[in-house]
Amino acid sequence: MSLQSTPPANPARRRWLRVAWIATFTPICAGLLIAGFAFHWAFLLAAALWGGALGCVLRMESLDHRSRSVAQASPRQQLAKAGWLFLAIALIFASAGVVSAAFR
């Protein structure tokens, strides 16, 4: 049984993934910023948390690029990618908790 290697890193794919992630997060962050300045401060904190989640996702993408450039990704690289993605999800849920707690 041979090991299956991952496909090589493609710079155009990497660029489009980064653009797609930014395009996904930008309307959410912009809406939270507008709501924060117009209505309540909790939305500003939620926007900051979503910005942090975007940073985590972009970091995970850069680690994915590094792991695709080698034939076999190490478990440490895979765990690092999973950790950044988990942190992004935790920040998104934390932003929902902040907004929910502000209106109780």
Side-chain angles (χ1 to χ4, degrees), residues 11-75:
R13 180 182 178 273
R14 182 175 180 220
R15 185 178 327 112
W16 282 109
L17 278 175
R18 187 172 45 233
V19 168
W21 281 117
I22 292 170
T24 301
F25 276 75
T26 299
I28 297 166
C29 290
L32 289 170
L33 284 173
I34 291 168
F37 285 121
F39 299 111
H40 199 273
W41 61 268
F43 292 109
L44 291 174
L45 183 56
L49 290 171
W50 273 83
L54 173 61
C56 291
V57 168
L58 293 177
R59 177 67 179 148
M60 188 268 309
E61 282 294 328
S62 74
L63 290 173
D64 185 49
H65 175 70
R66 288 183 194 165
S67 68
R68 286 185 178 270
S69 65
V70 297
Q72 183 70 26
S74 71

Side-chain angles (χ1 to χ4, degrees), residues 1 7 37 49 85 89 99:
M1 181 195 255
F37 285 121
L49 290 171
L85 195 57
I89 293 168
V99 172

